[in-house]
Amino acid sequence: MTKSVDFRHVDAKTRYKLLVGSVVPRPIALVTSCDSAGRVNAAPFSFFNAMCNDPPAVAVGVNYDPELRIKDTAANIAETEEFCVNLVDEGLAPLMNICEVEFPRGVSEAEMAGLNLEPGDSTAAPIIAEAPIAMECRLIQTVTLKPGRNIIIGEVLCMHFRDDLLDGEHHYVLAEKAGLIARMHGGGTYARTTDLFEMPRLTPEEKKARFDVKARARQDMGPGIGRK
């Protein structure tokens, strides 16, 4: 037996709880951006993922703040069309947690958290030195779902890796060494990415042998047999 929830008949808070409690674990983007005056903002988002490889693109969901104002991240990116996605490991997590505080406008989360910032190579948005991996991005498009609810899509222009995380010769990322964390359900629950398992993909020969047998079996049973 299953339990179903019709989202058309529950409130926004319930929809949020069900969604974020199910779509887990979610990678965390600690996004740095600047306004036109060069003031730096840093904010974490777990509505985030890679969306495409050509062009290389990531998407970040940015909602309005508790006072229904557009977040500094969204405002800065709309103004400058640049941002940097910094991925978060367990060492960076406590500083990320400070950046989640809703400071007054004009207060730098990066400064309050004591983050070390480095200039980007391709954008004006700074890189967080403590981040194991960072992606400098240029805005492709902002999709507005409703006022204050935006999906920001950015093209990755340049990536930065901690020295021990990239096999430069083969461009292979040693992700298991990064110690990245991910968001679980609401509140302060996170997951580590250190408990891994491998499941090799089927080879072309295995696929052919397995699924050709099934196809022949359906043919032998006659039309309509074994279909739902």
Side-chain angles (χ1 to χ4, degrees):
M1 181 179 293
T2 62
K3 295 181 179 179
S4 302
V5 179
D6 190 332
F7 271 35
R8 295 168 296 180
H9 300 140
V10 295
D11 60 20
K13 182 178 180 180
T14 299
R15 293 194 297 267
Y16 172 81
K17 288 169 59 178
L18 294 171
L19 189 64
V20 302
S22 302
V23 183
V24 293
R26 301 187 305 280
I28 300 168
L30 182 50
V31 177
T32 46
S33 60
C34 297
D35 63 15
S36 58
R39 291 173 294 194
V40 177
N41 174 261
F45 300 93
S46 67
F47 286 174
F48 156 70
N49 220 312
M51 294 290 113
C52 185
N53 69 307
D54 189 15
V58 296
V60 183
V62 181
N63 295 327
Y64 51 63
D65 70 16
E67 296 182 7
L68 304 186
R69 302 174 305 180
I70 184 172
K71 279 190 173 287
D72 290 344
T73 297
N76 290 350
I77 294 172
E79 191 173 7
T80 66
E81 299 191 347
E82 296 179 338
F83 60 101
C84 183
V85 170
N86 303 272
L87 301 185
V88 180
D89 62 9
E90 202 163 348
L92 181 54
L95 305 184
M96 173 213 71
N97 204 36
I98 295 173
C99 292
E100 197 170 16
V101 175
E102 296 288 347
F103 293 109
R105 287 193 183 276
V107 175
S108 170
E109 294 85 356
E111 184 176 336
M112 297 299 292
L115 293 171
N116 294 299
L117 303 178
E118 298 177 349
D121 292 342
S122 303
T123 68
I127 302 160
I128 294 175
E130 293 87 349
I133 300 173
M135 294 172 269
E136 295 185 67
C137 301
R138 176 176 58 204
L139 179 66
I140 294 176
Q141 182 181 2
T142 296
V143 180
T144 300
L145 302 178
K146 62 186 293 188
R149 305 281 186 171
N150 301 304
I151 299 173
I152 295 171
I153 305 171
E155 179 183 1
V156 179
L157 302 178
C158 182
M159 291 188 69
H160 306 271
F161 300 88
R162 199 174 65 207
D163 286 345
D164 62 326
L165 298 183
L166 182 66
D167 178 343
E169 181 180 355
H170 301 98
H171 288 147
Y172 180 76
V173 181
L174 305 174
E176 65 277 7
K177 290 186 177 183
L180 298 176
I181 63 168
R183 188 72 183 269
M184 295 294 291
H185 48 274
T189 306
Y190 296 86
R192 298 182 175 95
T193 55
T194 50
D195 183 13
L196 308 178
F197 72 95
E198 292 192 14
M199 183 170 57
R201 294 184 179 182
L202 297 176
T203 66
E205 294 76 18
E206 289 172 331
K207 292 177 184 178
K208 181 174 173 52
R210 178 175 297 186
F211 296 110
D212 278 2
V213 168
K214 289 185 176 181
R216 287 196 299 270
R218 284 197 295 268
Q219 291 172 359
D220 292 343
M221 288 188 291
I225 303 299
R227 298 176 183 173
K228 294 183 179 181

